[in-house]
Amino acid sequence: MWRSCLRLRDAGCRLLTQPRCALAAPAGPGQTPQAPARAYAPPTERKRFYQNVSITQGEGGFEINLDHRKLKTPQAKLFTVPSEALAIAVATEWDSQQDTIKFYTMHLTTLCNTSLDNPTQRNKDQLIRAAVKFLDTDTICYRVEEPATLVELQKNEWDPIIEWAEKRYDVEIGSSTSIMGPSIPARTREVLISHLASYNMWALQGIEFVVTQLKSMVLTLGLMDLHLTVEQAVLLSRLEEEYQIQKWGNIEWAHDYELQELRARTAAGTLFVHLCSESTTVKHKLLQQ
């Protein structure tokens, strides 16, 4: 019940803080209504129009070639990524498409497009603060008061992660059963902001993406530091849902689908962060069967 109230509260806050142009208000005479800037939502599917995928190195980085055409972003910019390893990973996404291109499965490509076009026009400081803000509603910092079995499960599974983060970054995080969540000290925010500032803009796009998937800054830090695997982080973020499934049973295929989708997005975001920091040159540039 408390989690439902929390989600309603967050939804209400988002609505109240939306730009006026995001609301369904009529435009004035001679004015064209403008939609608020947001990250890309890739189209559903498109018929595959290429045979071969390869990468080449250009002046600005590594480029993706679909046959003899260079890949472009939604804003028609040359699709150029900073590391060869990332280029190969993106090329693999395109090469793995079958008769139709399922853009919703191509998370690395979407993250690259967002980094190149920056549709929300945010700078490095804004990206960092958006990620750190999730501490206020961090999944593993919110605890239930009953039933006792779930209370114990949260304590056993989540407390070690919080303790690790507090020791790793020399900060205080804590947990709370209050709907308002724990009181995060200002110093904790400052330390984590300073830590995230060590990442480049591309990596920060990936970090914010992962934080959004897991609804947890702490779990994301565990992933970035290789303290947690993707499977562990996802299950920890879904601890309450998995508890309810064990108690009441699975709903046909829906829970499994949701779990696999979350794993795929989290894995892609985590890989994106690490590949954006990759400086090692990969020898083989062409994808071959």
Side-chain angles (χ1 to χ4, degrees), residues 135 138-143 154-176 182 184 216-219 221-222 227-228 236:
L135 276 175
D138 199 293
T139 294
I140 72 172
C141 293
Y142 281 87
R143 305 299 173 84
Q154 290 180 338
K155 177 180 176 60
N156 292 340
E157 298 294 332
W158 285 348
D159 279 3
I161 307 303
I162 292 180
E163 291 169 4
W164 166 82
E166 290 178 332
K167 182 178 180 180
R168 164 69 174 82
Y169 297 99
D170 189 23
V171 296
E172 295 179 13
I173 299 174
S175 61
S176 174
I184 306 296
S216 174
M217 183 72 216
V218 179
L219 291 177
L221 290 172
H227 179 71
L228 296 171
L236 286 169

Side-chain angles (χ1 to χ4, degrees), residues 89-106:
V90 171
T92 301
E93 276 191 335
W94 285 88
D95 194 51
S96 65
Q97 302 302 305
Q98 302 301 316
D99 294 335
T100 58
I101 307 171
K102 296 178 172 59
F103 291 99
Y104 54 84
T105 68
M106 303 171 71

Side-chain angles (χ1 to χ4, degrees), residues 118 120-130 200-201 204-205 208:
N118 192 14
T120 55
Q121 295 300 303
R122 289 183 297 173
N123 58 32
K124 186 172 183 177
D125 181 65
Q126 289 172 317
L127 281 173
I128 291 172
R129 293 187 181 278
N200 60 45
M201 278 284 290
L204 286 172
Q205 293 280 5
E208 191 202 13

